[in-house]
Amino acid sequence: MTATTDRAPAPGPRAALRPPLAVAWLHARYQFVETLRVPIAVLGNMLFPGLALLFFVIPQRAVADDPVAATAAVGQLAVFAVLSACLFTHGAGVAEDRALPFDGYLRTLPARPGPRLAGRVLNGLAWAYLSLIPLALIGWLLTAATLTWTQALGAVVMVVAVAVPFTLLGLTIGYSMTTKAALAVTQVTVFPLGFAGGLFLPPQMFPGWLDALSRLLPSRAARDLVVQVTTGADAPAMAVPVLLAWTVAFGALAVWAVRRDEGRRFH
Amino acid sequence: MTTTTAGAPPVLVEQVTRRFGDVTALDDVSLRVDAGEIVGLLGPNGAGKTTLLSLLSGLRRPDSGTVRLFGGDPRDPASRTWLGTTPQETGLPETLKVREVVDFVAGHYASPMPRAEVLARFGLEELVDRQTGGLSGGQRRRLAVALSLVGRPRLVLLDEPTTGLDVEARHVLWEALRDYHRDGATVIVTSHYLEEIEALAERVVVVGGGRVLADDRIDRVLDLVALRRMTLTLPGDATSGRSALHGLDGVQDVVDAVPAVAGTRFTLLAADADAAVRALVAARLPFHALEVRGASLEEAFLALTTRGTTGVGAGVPSPEVSR
């Protein structure tokens, strides 16, 4: 069949790709709406840290009425909120999306994978911030926790610093496992990381061996840095290198997982 | 980075081979589709249709050979700005509304088709504010196909677009696709329903066992599928039975002969089953246990390829069929 037809559309210049930022924003928006439409998932994530504060910290007036201790308690639960938002959105969420035929369809649209991934990360970040709202409100109204404007700004910036490593860990889980496995692994990662990282009980209450182990965890490093930014209490010198090292390690794992997934499904 | 050029054909596949483990999904396939054509890809499940489409839409890469979309590599997103595909099955984001899914897809294109036009083409206007999870199977299918046109593509690839639809919904879809083709687009549609290919395509490419078995005008392929498959038992051995059956009016080919209880069981392909039965009776052949049924597409393909050696047309590379 070589007969060409003359009624093909007038050949014009090829349409350009949409700008990467526009595509990232587009994906962030629609993923946000999708998540929003399943309120149970949203509420669980958003309310748990606030409820933990309400039930475990508020009754202990010695902590709740002490500005430094209360601020630290809110700070470490805030780290937990970000940790769990990032791991659930990316760990369980990515694995679910990968299982959908729609994912294959999206790959045929004229857009690079980078902006789509960026949209996903933006969405995770948005939920991390939202999950802090109930926590911040309860902390402000019912405890002696206080922040200066500078500290508050520092806390907002710290959310990103904390979200990056856990987003990368979430992507690693989401891209390397099936939906069921990813959900289970996310759950068994979130709670031990939270507990051993001193996000529920302050690390001052840990026995020596647990404290030593805890200092090597990303959740503990994130907690110490957040407490430093919000209360002025110095974090151990190891906190920054530990958090950076985990960020690099999770980054490498995430790249490996994404590439392996592409190789399996799309080559 | 490859460049897409306006003069290049929408689809150019050259000597492409693609394996999955031990299975050869595509075996040295070449195919060219020119602008404005509407082509049906026909073949049984597992024939290689979906693999071919996944190569064209940039989801997979060939093990060897080249695939070009308007002259560009389909794995480069820039080459896909003129491409429209459809989500498989009913894989739409359940919580999004129809309006949102269309807008979301439109957001990937510089000058998409307005939402109202997309919906109107497929009769989806009423459903604009419904979540896709609440649509019926047919409505979801229509929306899925509608999504393939959102970017005003010049090439539309549709994999089994109407599987599971009732007759009416099927006709709505076909009409919408014919409309869009009339606007100047190139369309490739796969199906294992002959009826669908018949309603849409002008040219048919038959694939089986990872090869292009035939590439011809729709009417020539249709003639083949008018074949009937007849089975009957004759006393005696295969050789004598074959010679008796071969010359009969209406019988095109004796494709099988196996020993049976009272002789040999023969399978014939008949271009005209009525004439063949009359001829059997007229020849006073002592046949029994006669069965007549429509030839399956697979049998038609087989017939197509064996006849290919006697000149059904160009594009018949080999009579080999893997199953």
Side-chain angles (χ1 to χ4, degrees):
Chain A
M1 270 277 183
T2 48
T4 46
T5 51
D6 321 278
R7 57 199 183 78
R14 183 189 64 205
L17 290 178
R18 303 278 337 268
L21 273 181
V23 176
W25 180 239
L26 179 77
H27 280 259
R29 262 166 53 216
Y30 280 94
Q31 285 189 12
F32 187 83
V33 173
E34 270 194 82
T35 318
L36 195 64
R37 297 263 165 85
V38 192
I40 287 296
V42 180
L43 284 178
N45 248 341
M46 280 186 64
L47 295 185
F48 180 79
L51 290 176
L53 183 66
L54 203 57
F55 292 130
F56 299 118
V57 178
I58 307 286
Q60 307 180 51
R61 294 319 301 182
V63 177
D65 291 337
D66 176 69
V68 172
T71 308
V74 174
Q76 63 198 28
L77 280 171
V79 172
F80 181 77
V82 173
L83 162 77
S84 112
C86 292
L87 280 185
F88 277 104
T89 323
H90 299 297
V94 168
E96 254 167 50
D97 285 355
R98 278 169 52 233
L100 295 177
F102 200 65
D103 186 63
Y105 167 71
L106 288 181
R107 299 180 60 95
T108 70
L109 296 178
R112 294 178 198 288
R116 276 173 35 208
L117 193 61
R120 181 178 283 291
V121 170
L122 275 178
N123 177 46
L125 207 53
W127 287 107
Y129 275 111
L130 282 176
S131 64
L132 293 177
I133 291 174
L135 190 66
L137 277 178
I138 296 171
W140 176 51
L141 294 173
L142 302 179
T143 76
T146 54
L147 289 180
T148 63
W149 284 108
T150 331
Q151 286 171 333
L153 194 68
V156 169
V157 175
M158 279 308 289
V159 171
V160 179
V162 174
V164 169
F166 296 122
T167 296
L168 293 168
L169 175 59
L171 293 173
T172 304
I173 295 171
Y175 277 103
S176 57
M177 291 169 206
T178 62
T179 310
K180 275 185 185 168
L183 191 59
V185 168
T186 301
Q187 274 162 347
V188 301
T189 309
V190 166
F191 287 94
L193 264 185
F195 181 78
L199 307 185
F200 301 133
L201 292 174
Q204 290 82 352
M205 294 173 69
F206 286 177
W209 66 268
L210 182 56
D211 189 46
L213 180 77
S214 170
R215 283 166 191 256
L216 297 175
L217 294 179
S219 44
R220 171 67 184 276
R223 181 239 171 234
D224 288 344
L225 291 171
V226 166
V227 169
Q228 176 177 345
V229 167
T230 53
T231 69
D234 276 343
M238 271 169 70
V240 170
V242 165
L243 194 62
L244 280 179
W246 281 108
T247 305
V248 171
F250 291 151
L253 278 174
V255 167
W256 166 81
V258 171
R259 293 225 172 116
R260 190 182 75 134
D261 179 53
E262 302 254 304
R264 270 191 183 169
R265 296 196 299 151
F266 301 111
H267 281 233
Chain B
M1 187 92 176
T2 50
T3 48
T4 311
T5 45
V11 169
L12 191 60
V13 172
E14 281 175 325
Q15 298 178 326
V16 161
T17 296
R18 172 69 215 218
R19 290 181 198 88
F20 296 99
D22 293 340
V23 181
T24 302
L26 291 175
D27 184 5
D28 194 27
V29 166
S30 297
L31 179 69
R32 177 191 169 112
V33 176
D34 285 297
E37 283 195 276
I38 182 162
V39 177
L41 261 183
L42 188 60
N45 284 328
K49 303 182 303 259
T50 303
T51 304
L52 185 55
L53 289 200
S54 72
L55 294 176
L56 290 176
S57 55
L59 282 177
R60 298 180 189 283
R61 66 173 99 222
D63 293 329
S64 63
T66 55
V67 180
R68 286 289 172 268
L69 210 59
F70 300 99
D73 183 347
R75 298 200 41 103
D76 174 3
S79 304
R80 301 196 297 261
T81 50
W82 283 346
L83 173 73
T85 71
T86 178
Q88 266 205 328
E89 301 157 38
T90 46
L92 295 164
E94 291 197 352
T95 57
L96 291 186
K97 294 174 180 170
V98 169
R99 169 168 53 84
E100 291 165 339
V101 176
V102 174
D103 291 351
F104 174 53
V105 173
H108 291 81
Y109 297 91
S111 55
M113 187 183 284
R115 187 208 307 146
E117 185 186 340
V118 175
L119 297 177
R121 277 179 185 265
F122 290 87
L124 292 165
E125 301 99 319
E126 308 278 298
L127 305 173
V128 64
D129 281 316
R130 294 265 296 277
Q131 291 189 354
T132 66
L135 300 181
S136 73
Q139 291 166 336
R140 257 182 265 175
R141 204 58 231 157
R142 263 192 284 160
L143 175 59
V145 176
L147 290 182
S148 70
L149 303 190
V150 165
R152 294 189 182 283
R154 297 197 185 163
L155 172 65
V156 187
L157 303 180
L158 299 165
D159 196 3
E160 312 268 348
T162 63
T163 301
L165 285 189
D166 60 38
V167 177
E168 198 185 336
R170 201 172 273 193
H171 282 272
V172 170
L173 260 184
W174 289 344
E175 197 45 51
L177 291 176
R178 279 192 292 255
D179 268 353
Y180 194 69
H181 172 242
R182 272 195 291 273
D183 294 349
T186 310
V187 178
I188 299 182
V189 55
T190 78
S191 187
H192 53 259
Y193 296 131
L194 187 76
E195 189 201 1
E196 178 149 276
I197 299 293
E198 196 180 351
L200 287 174
E202 292 156 356
R203 169 185 166 197
V204 184
V205 175
V206 180
V207 288
R211 291 175 157 263
V212 173
L213 299 182
D215 182 346
D216 215 326
R217 290 196 330 260
I218 180 81
D219 51 346
R220 313 206 31 184
V221 174
L222 283 180
D223 283 349
L224 282 166
V225 186
L227 288 177
R228 289 290 175 272
R229 183 178 187 273
M230 300 172 60
T231 42
L232 55 88
T233 304
L234 284 177
D237 64 5
T239 324
S240 62
R242 267 182 202 277
S243 56
L245 293 167
H246 248 302
L248 287 182
D249 205 17
V251 172
Q252 184 184 306
D253 199 6
V254 180
V255 291
D256 197 19
V258 288
V261 181
T264 310
R265 186 109 184 118
F266 294 91
T267 304
L268 330 171
L269 287 180
D272 183 343
D274 303 324
V277 172
R278 278 192 293 270
L280 274 172
V281 175
R284 297 183 164 275
L285 286 171
F287 67 89
H288 60 101
L290 173 66
E291 289 171 25
V292 180
R293 62 171 179 80
S296 71
L297 276 180
E298 237 163 304
E299 285 163 331
F301 303 152
L302 263 169
L304 191 67
T305 46
T306 40
R307 271 209 289 169
T309 50
T310 54
V312 149
V316 183
S318 149
E320 175 195 319
V321 173
S322 69
R323 33 167 84 219

